[in-house]
Amino acid sequence: MFDGIMQGFQVAFSWEAILFVFIGVLLGTIIGMIPGLGPISAIAIMIPVTYGMDPTIALVMMAGVYYGSMYGGSTSSILLNAPGVAGTVAAAFDGYPMAQQGKAGKALAISAICSFVGGTVSVILLMMFAPMLASVAIIFGPPEYFALMLLGLTAIASLSEGSTIKALISAVFGFMIVTIGIDSQTGTSRFTFGSVNLLDGIDFLIIALGVFAIAEVCFLILNRKEKLSGLNNIGSLKLTKEDFKEMKGPMTRQSFLGFILGVLPGAGATISSFVAYITEKKMAKKPEEFGKGSIKGLAGPETANNAATSGAFVPLLSLGIPGSGTTAVMLGAFLVLGVQPGPLLMTENPTVFWGVIASMYIGNVFLLILNLPLIPYFVKILKVPRPLLISLVIISSLVGVYAVSFSTFDLYLLVIFGILGYLMRIFAFPAAPFILAFILGGMMEQALRQSLTISGGSWNIFTSSPLAMTLFVLTALSIVIPAWRERVRRKKEPVS
């Protein structure tokens, strides 16, 4: 193993690898900032471009695009409330309020440092435990995945401010939206109302940009009298000792949690960032600060989503199983370049296995060097006059959605979800449970159906799995404990 690691660093420190890692992370940062492109599209475009290149160098560059896009996506989430990448949606929950308070510089600095720490720690874990964790990932079958998704959904109430009922209504609506389209198991159309445009369902990008970016545009237009002076004050980029003290816990915890969730096929950076936000809020002494510019609320998801990108390489490199949509495209790139990922990759082609992993160290350093000096230039976006800023958000959202499907119908959907997001904001229906239910709903339904298919329709498959039962117990505790704490708190309150 040690010889393989040294061989990997020899590859990573070659001038070719350094050059293409830099190109990859730079492209990833730019692509992540543009809603609609994302790393999947970028890597798919690069496959024919890299044909004929050295496989190790080509894969090193593609890996750089993957984790570089998380940095870029956070920038648009924090500054414009327009997530460029699905994995950076949670960064907008507290990052954008910080920008509104005149702390955009600090928010981007926190994002860059936490991303660097999460990425670096996860690369170390990837190097140490990749073969072992790959065998652990195999243990998770459909019953275990269903139990894991259910555990995630029980934390919806903790994401909400105010009424738990409104949070659950938002979640139910998210489930309803995700069922639109052709049923993958039966082939029948569901809730399409005879429209061929809805047969493929509704893309997550439309939901994210509509509920966050377009809803924010509606709010800015219809609330012109509201003072937004903080947007003209970018604040200092310097972080105090107190800031680092607040960041320390989330960075440590979420580096490990994000990596572990990234290892699980299908979880990925998006779910990891939401789980990070949920856990940090549950552990916080002042959870009411979340959603209002909390440093922990930004540090947790930003650490987790970058840690998850490295974790997604564990099943890809060790088993040949993609851990996310992006690594599924990278699997195709591996095959096109004549490399077969799987259990034999480490012994038959150690240069590729260890070279890709070692290059991630360099890539994370490049991203930190690139992003910290560019923060003053990024935050100048906030100094753009409000009419131009609104136009910029609208144009980037429309172009991003249209570039994915080339469908004008999706543009209408974007506007509809923008109006919906504005109404949710006005009537205090939290958007986070809606987004989380939309993300988990499809995977949860698929895992449930697969479990019942395997068992011949018997629900005993869930009780026969010790891991699934453990997750169900944790689910019950996540419901009971907060309700019990709330009841105790109400009893202690003096009667007026």
Side-chain angles (χ1 to χ4, degrees):
M1 179 177 171
F2 180 77
D3 293 337
I5 294 174
M6 296 306 298
Q7 188 175 357
F9 276 108
Q10 287 179 357
V11 173
F13 281 106
S14 66
W15 71 268
E16 280 184 305
I18 292 175
L19 174 62
F20 281 97
V21 166
F22 179 79
I23 293 173
V25 296
L26 179 62
L27 288 174
T29 302
I30 296 171
I31 288 167
M33 292 174 63
I34 304 173
L37 290 183
I40 295 179
S41 303
I43 292 174
I45 293 171
M46 285 183 179
I47 290 177
V49 175
T50 57
Y51 187 76
M53 288 178 59
D54 179 83
T56 305
I57 301 301
L59 293 169
V60 158
M61 181 174 66
M62 292 182 188
V65 172
Y66 184 22
Y67 51 83
S69 64
M70 291 299 161
Y71 277 75
S74 300
T75 302
S76 57
S77 290
I78 292 169
L79 298 183
L80 302 175
N81 203 28
V85 180
T88 61
V89 169
F93 295 162
D94 283 281
Y96 185 67
M98 288 182 72
Q100 290 179 307
Q101 297 165 14
K103 301 177 182 178
K106 178 181 284 191
L108 289 174
I110 292 171
S111 172
I113 293 170
C114 290
S115 297
F116 172 76
V117 172
T120 303
V121 171
S122 64
V123 171
I124 296 173
L125 296 173
L126 174 61
M127 190 168 284
M128 294 173 61
F129 301 113
M132 182 182 71
L133 287 173
S135 60
V136 173
I138 299 177
I139 299 175
F140 272 77
E144 289 76 20
Y145 272 113
F146 175 78
L148 181 63
M149 301 297 173
L150 186 62
L151 175 60
L153 287 173
T154 56
I156 284 176
S158 68
L159 280 170
S160 62
E161 291 292 337
S163 172
T164 303
I165 299 299
K166 288 184 177 181
L168 294 175
I169 291 173
S170 294
V172 170
F173 192 67
F175 278 123
M176 291 170 62
I177 298 300
V178 80
T179 58
I180 295 174
I182 296 178
D183 188 336
S184 59
Q185 183 165 334
T186 63
T188 57
S189 60
R190 303 187 297 185
F191 308 111
T192 60
F193 303 101
S195 173
V196 294
N197 294 296
L198 291 174
L199 291 177
D200 291 331
I202 299 176
D203 192 86
F204 176 78
L205 182 67
I206 298 172
I207 304 290
L209 290 179
V211 171
F212 289 100
I214 301 301
E216 183 65 27
V217 166
C218 292
F219 186 80
L220 291 176
I221 293 173
L222 298 174
N223 296 271
R224 295 181 182 179
K225 295 182 180 180
E226 183 174 332
K227 293 182 179 180
L228 295 174
S229 57
L231 291 178
N232 294 320
N233 179 21
I234 65 174
S236 173
L237 276 66
K238 295 181 180 179
L239 301 178
T240 63
K241 290 182 179 179
E242 289 74 17
D243 294 333
F244 278 107
K245 188 176 180 180
E246 281 197 66
M247 294 162 55
K248 183 179 178 181
M251 283 195 298
T252 304
R253 290 187 292 269
Q254 303 310 327
S255 293
F256 291 92
L257 180 61
F259 177 75
I260 293 171
L261 290 175
V263 170
L264 301 176
T270 305
I271 293 177
S272 298
S273 62
F274 273 98
V275 171
Y277 189 84
I278 292 168
T279 54
E280 290 304 322
K281 187 169 183 179
K282 281 185 173 294
M283 297 177 66
K285 294 181 180 179
K286 298 181 180 178
E288 66 276 3
E289 293 180 355
F290 279 63
K292 300 175 183 177
S294 168
I295 291 177
K296 291 183 178 180
L298 176 61
E302 286 299 271
T303 304
N305 61 19
N306 281 272
T309 56
S310 299
F313 279 89
V314 172
L316 176 66
L317 295 175
S318 301
L319 298 174
I321 300 172
S324 65
T326 307
T327 51
V329 178
M330 286 200 69
L331 175 61
F334 269 88
L335 299 176
V336 169
L337 294 167
V339 178
Q340 178 63 56
L344 299 179
L345 180 63
M346 189 186 299
T347 54
E348 293 184 351
N349 208 334
T351 303
V352 173
F353 185 90
W354 294 111
V356 171
I357 295 175
S359 71
M360 293 181 184
Y361 282 106
I362 301 173
N364 277 288
V365 173
F366 276 151
L367 283 168
L368 189 66
I369 295 172
L370 270 174
N371 281 268
L372 284 179
L374 290 176
I375 287 176
Y377 300 98
F378 289 149
V379 296
K380 285 184 178 180
I381 296 174
L382 298 179
K383 292 187 176 182
V384 175
R386 179 185 287 190
L388 293 179
L389 183 61
I390 290 173
S391 302
L392 175 66
V393 174
I394 292 174
I395 291 172
S396 62
S397 298
L398 292 174
V399 171
V401 169
Y402 189 76
V404 173
S405 61
F406 297 101
S407 170
T408 54
F409 182 81
D410 285 351
L411 300 182
Y412 293 126
L413 287 177
L414 177 66
V415 174
I416 291 172
F417 280 101
I419 296 172
L420 174 66
Y422 173 74
L423 294 175
M424 290 174 67
R425 181 169 179 174
I426 294 298
F427 293 104
F429 283 86
F434 171 71
I435 295 290
L436 184 59
F438 182 85
I439 293 170
L440 296 181
M443 293 183 287
M444 189 173 176
E445 180 187 14
Q446 184 180 10
L448 176 62
R449 285 183 162 185
Q450 288 175 342
S451 301
L452 294 177
T453 301
I454 293 171
S455 65
S458 173
W459 293 86
N460 292 332
I461 190 171
F462 296 104
T463 57
S464 61
S465 168
L467 181 56
M469 284 303 299
T470 302
L471 293 171
F472 284 135
V473 171
L474 293 175
T475 299
L477 290 175
S478 69
I479 297 173
V480 173
I481 292 176
W484 177 77
R485 285 179 178 175
E486 180 65 19
R487 186 177 180 181
V488 171
R489 185 186 65 82
R490 288 182 179 179
K491 284 184 177 180
K492 290 181 178 180
E493 289 181 353
V495 179
S496 56

